[in-house]
Amino acid sequence: AAPRPAHGCGSGALLGRFGVLLQALLALCAFSTLMLKRFKEPKAERRPWRIWFYDTSKQAIGALFIHFANVFLSDLTEEDPCSLYLINFILDATLGMLLIWLGVKVVSWIVQHKKYTYLVFGEYGDPPQAAAWIGQCILYLLIMVFEKTVISLVLLIPGWTKLQQILLGYIPNPQLELVLVMFVVPFIVNAIMFWVVDSLIMRKHKQKDTLDINGSIETPQARRTEESQVLLSPDMDFDQSESDQDISGLRGTNQKMKQPSYQVVI
């Protein structure tokens, strides 16, 4: 067995039997928050199960990549791997969250500018296409790779070793430290991150755009403007026979009534 340091968990503890059990429990509990979020949505805007699966599975793939990358990086050191994992996780939840938000915004702008409609996050076509989901998963995974690369470069800055030595040094029990690092703290932070990221990459019901056959995007504001122009346009086409009947009826009414009548159309 690998020698355990004076404090903290030993090398390989993250991939031990107890560590793997905690990771499976964490995945189940953290992913359940996304299911709770679906039931919190208004019934009129609630996503179908298939759309919900397409949205949340992207997060699941990205979270698994980040988790195993943190486990791999933490197990490379001879120091306390639990402390190093916690440092990685805290950076992912703070600086990494900002990078994910920036990556989603940049990628969304590019695909909309290029009119790659099926690569817009949350758009899968009607009926939903698995190819659109696969393409969006690849884009989201690339964003996570970019985020983890930046976080790994930040960890190369001197000074993290001292923080690693004092971060969990006051906990004498290595299993208790493993529970805090692999379950308690990640569950709380992941629940918040999943909720926020799901709101970023899901299709907005109130602001969703209509995609026509040519791939252009028609916003609700544009539709309202077009409808108002049609309603307010004085040049309207009527059937000739109906217009003649209306004119004759109006002439007869004008002969009987001295005051002019107005018709208000709302």
Side-chain angles (χ1 to χ4, degrees), residues 34-53 55 198 202-206 208:
L34 292 174
M35 187 173 296
L36 176 64
K37 183 178 183 296
R38 180 186 180 274
F39 288 110
K40 285 290 186 180
E41 296 173 357
K43 290 185 178 181
E45 304 176 10
R46 186 173 297 170
R47 291 167 288 179
W49 282 109
R50 187 175 182 180
I51 301 298
W52 176 84
F53 172 77
D55 287 340
D198 185 62
M202 68 178 289
R203 181 179 181 178
K204 306 300 186 297
H205 178 80
K206 295 182 179 180
K208 63 184 180 181

Side-chain angles (χ1 to χ4, degrees), residues 8-262:
C9 58
S11 178
L14 300 180
L15 296 177
R17 182 178 300 177
F18 186 62
V20 172
L21 178 62
L22 289 176
Q23 294 173 48
L25 185 61
L26 170 65
L28 179 63
C29 294
F31 199 71
S32 64
T33 59
L34 292 174
M35 187 173 296
L36 176 64
K37 183 178 183 296
R38 180 186 180 274
F39 288 110
K40 285 290 186 180
E41 296 173 357
K43 290 185 178 181
E45 304 176 10
R46 186 173 297 170
R47 291 167 288 179
W49 282 109
R50 187 175 182 180
I51 301 298
W52 176 84
F53 172 77
Y54 281 170
D55 287 340
T56 56
S57 58
K58 293 194 288 287
Q59 280 205 76
I61 294 173
L64 286 175
F65 168 77
I66 293 296
H67 172 74
F68 287 113
N70 289 340
V71 171
F72 174 75
L73 294 174
S74 301
D75 215 31
L76 291 178
T77 179
E78 297 180 356
E79 302 292 336
D80 182 9
C82 290
S83 299
L84 185 56
Y85 179 89
L86 186 59
I87 292 175
N88 274 278
F89 189 81
I90 293 175
L91 287 175
D92 288 329
T94 52
L95 177 60
M97 190 66 194
L98 178 62
L99 294 173
I100 293 173
W101 175 83
L102 181 62
V104 170
K105 291 297 183 181
V106 171
V107 170
S108 299
W109 181 84
I110 292 175
V111 297
Q112 289 182 1
H113 181 71
K114 297 294 184 179
K115 296 183 180 180
Y116 300 145
T117 55
Y118 285 130
L119 292 180
V120 177
F121 287 122
E123 292 286 351
Y124 307 104
D126 189 14
Q129 302 292 326
W133 169 71
I134 294 174
Q136 294 177 31
C137 285
I138 295 175
L139 286 180
Y140 187 74
L141 188 58
L142 291 176
I143 293 174
M144 303 307 288
V145 171
F146 164 74
E147 182 267 343
K148 194 67 239 177
T149 302
V150 175
I151 296 299
S152 300
L153 294 176
V154 172
L155 284 174
L156 296 178
I157 300 176
W160 293 108
T161 304
K162 295 181 179 180
L163 178 61
Q164 178 184 346
Q165 292 175 355
I166 64 176
L167 191 60
L168 296 174
Y170 58 89
I171 300 178
N173 191 338
Q175 287 191 343
L176 178 60
E177 180 177 342
L178 196 60
V179 170
L180 290 175
V181 170
M182 299 296 294
F183 181 74
V184 177
V185 177
F187 170 69
I188 298 174
V189 179
N190 272 330
I192 299 174
M193 289 182 62
F194 282 177
W195 200 290
V196 173
V197 175
D198 185 62
S199 300
L200 284 175
I201 64 178
M202 68 178 289
R203 181 179 181 178
K204 306 300 186 297
H205 178 80
K206 295 182 179 180
Q207 300 176 354
K208 63 184 180 181
D209 301 331
T210 301
L211 306 177
D212 61 12
I213 299 176
N214 297 326
S216 61
I217 299 178
E218 182 184 4
T219 61
Q221 183 179 2
R223 290 198 300 271
R224 289 194 299 269
T225 303
E226 182 179 355
E227 292 174 358
S228 62
Q229 290 176 355
V230 172
L231 292 175
L232 297 176
S233 175
D235 299 331
M236 303 182 66
D237 297 331
F238 295 94
D239 185 78
Q240 185 67 29
S241 60
E242 294 179 358
S243 61
D244 294 338
Q245 294 176 2
D246 294 339
I247 293 173
S248 61
L250 289 174
R251 288 177 179 175
T253 304
N254 290 332
Q255 293 176 358
K256 297 179 180 180
M257 299 178 63
K258 296 181 178 180
Q259 296 180 353
S261 61
Y262 297 91

